[in-house]
Amino acid sequence: MTRIFSGVKPTGHLTLGNYLGAVRQWVAADQEPDEALFCVVDLHALTVEHDPARVRRLSRQAATLLLASGLEPARCTLFVQSHVDEHTRLAYLLECTATDGELRRMVQYREKATRARDAGEGVRLSLLTYPVLMAADILAYGTDRVPVGEDQRQHVELTRDLAVRFNQRYGHTFAVPEATHPVVAARVMDLQEPTSKMGKSGDAGPGVVFMLDEPAVVTRKVMRAVTDSGDGGVVLDREKRPGVANLLDILAACTGGEPAALADGYQGYGALKRDVAEAVVETLRPVRERHAELAADPGGVEKVLRAGAERARGLARPVVDRAYRAIGLLEP
Ligand code: TYM
């Protein structure tokens, strides 16, 4: 049986990038007879400037959206990270396994630390140690497979390195996990800045489609997407025409086509954008509708999260206890 784990951070409203890059893979995974765990990783939202009330609101909304996307509580475990102590318990042991140098090399740390310094904000120590907590999230469950977008590849690589190092030093304790990415749309780009990832922290960004955007808003954002100058109609050229490539990827992800083949069907950008807008609206429509129903009963969502945390605790506890013994700590 394969163990699957993945998570989303409540730092902003979930985007089309989160949906196509990650959440859709999760919904597909929980159909299999595997053990799948999905987590709203709220502790990770505290690594940058945050507003407590907003984190609470976004955590609830993220959980509701995951259910609305089709995760079935009967087939998978959905929970909130801070409800299960094993994550932070294991993170410390992994901090004693990782090195300062390997954490400072993480691309996301370097980008976010630079942004915080430029904004005159302090860089929280937890921003540096974040990938260690992420490794703990994954390793605490004996995870084999981590379905994520392309931007998480380096963090999962670090997780693998830490698992292997810990096992070599202290005896076999952790499964060594593997990241999986969707075939298309593993990295959905910002519609206004197609060389940057579509990210949820750019809230209100005109280039970011949020999962809960109204159809008219989605359409406006897609129709205003930056395309590229150049003759020769619609062609897939990721280097020279990143804006068009992004639209073709999104269309392929929403309709099940193949980006290069889809390009052949268009003479101009206008028609392409109209089809992309419609495909995105139709992809998100059932999720938005179901979200409205579920949001009307917050008690129902809370019940799912409580049961999820209970189950997650039961799975993580023996793995983390084993790690405590292996590293040399006395049994209480
Ligand atoms: P987060 O919250 O930034 O994103 C959640 C998931 O969405 C994917 N994703 C994208 N995929 C394609 N295109 C995009 N533009 C895009 N933006 C986001 C991400 O790759 C991710 O799969 N560190 C993680 C959260 C985390 C985690 C974990 C994930 C914490 N612990 C353990 C897996 C396992 C993060 O910040 O994801």
Side-chain angles (χ1 to χ4, degrees):
M1 188 181 67
T2 303
R3 190 67 68 86
I4 295 166
F5 182 96
S6 201
V8 62
K9 199 169 64 204
T11 41
H13 297 285
L14 265 59
T15 70
L16 180 67
N18 296 129
Y19 186 69
L20 297 179
V23 177
R24 263 202 343 189
Q25 293 190 76
W26 305 355
V27 175
D30 97 338
Q31 310 296 322
E32 298 166 8
D34 300 328
E35 175 91 46
L37 296 107
F38 302 108
C39 189
V40 176
V41 287
D42 53 352
L43 296 172
H44 289 281
L46 312 183
T47 53
V48 287
E49 284 286 316
H50 78 283
D51 166 25
R54 185 164 187 266
V55 169
R56 260 191 297 274
R57 209 168 47 241
L58 289 173
S59 296
R60 243 180 247 121
Q61 188 190 72
T64 310
L65 262 175
L66 294 181
L67 291 171
S69 299
L71 288 185
E72 284 281 347
R75 280 200 300 258
C76 69
T77 302
L78 175 64
F79 70 105
V80 175
Q81 182 190 30
S82 64
H83 294 174
V84 180
D85 293 340
E86 311 310 314
H87 295 240
T88 47
R89 237 182 117 222
L90 179 57
Y92 181 71
L93 301 198
L94 298 178
E95 281 185 18
C96 299
T97 308
T99 66
D100 174 66
E102 73 195 332
L103 289 176
R104 288 188 195 280
R105 278 198 296 277
M106 292 290 122
V107 174
Q108 286 206 349
Y109 167 71
R110 292 160 72 124
E111 287 173 359
K112 287 183 184 168
T114 305
R115 230 178 289 146
R117 282 194 198 98
D118 288 350
E121 292 164 3
V123 179
R124 295 183 182 181
L125 180 58
S126 54
L127 188 66
L128 179 65
T129 56
Y130 169 117
V132 175
L133 179 58
M134 174 163 165
D137 299 337
I138 297 169
L139 299 182
Y141 296 95
T143 303
D144 304 295
R145 191 158 86 73
V146 188
V148 282
E150 178 69 40
D151 62 318
Q152 296 301 318
R153 189 188 289 268
Q154 195 185 27
H155 292 158
V156 180
E157 278 301 314
L158 175 76
T159 304
R160 290 168 59 86
D161 291 347
L162 296 181
V164 168
R165 195 176 306 156
F166 192 102
N167 288 346
Q168 276 170 353
R169 282 187 192 159
Y170 310 114
H172 185 81
T173 308
F174 300 120
V176 181
E178 218 178 305
T180 55
H181 310 287
V183 182
V184 272
R187 191 177 184 84
V188 177
M189 308 306 269
D190 188 286
L191 297 175
Q192 290 296 319
E193 252 179 88
T195 48
S196 309
K197 182 186 79 169
M198 182 184 281
K200 54 175 129 58
S201 20
D203 268 9
V208 180
V209 173
F210 296 103
M211 286 175 69
L212 289 176
D213 275 347
E214 302 274 338
V217 174
V218 173
T219 303
R220 190 171 66 238
K221 288 177 177 174
V222 173
M223 294 309 289
R224 289 186 187 163
V226 165
T227 39
D228 319 278
S229 53
D231 305 323
V234 176
V235 286
L236 181 69
D237 183 337
R238 295 186 189 282
E239 290 277 300
K240 297 207 186 88
R241 299 191 182 187
V244 172
N246 191 36
L247 291 175
L248 288 167
D249 281 346
I250 294 172
L251 184 62
C254 292
T255 60
E258 203 268 316
L262 286 169
D264 293 341
Y266 294 96
Q267 308 295 331
Y269 297 152
L272 171 64
K273 285 181 178 176
R274 273 193 296 279
D275 284 0
V276 172
E278 192 188 327
V280 173
V281 165
E282 291 314 316
T283 300
L284 295 180
R285 186 188 302 283
V287 180
R288 275 184 67 242
E289 288 174 358
R290 184 80 184 115
H291 176 270
E293 288 166 22
L294 291 166
D297 175 24
V301 177
E302 268 166 38
K303 206 164 137 213
V304 169
L305 295 177
R306 260 199 308 277
E310 183 90 9
R311 171 147 185 82
R313 250 180 249 125
L315 293 170
R317 187 79 202 221
V319 180
V320 178
D321 280 351
R322 197 162 68 228
Y324 266 66
R325 301 293 82 78
I327 207 169
L329 299 169
L330 281 180
E331 203 149 338

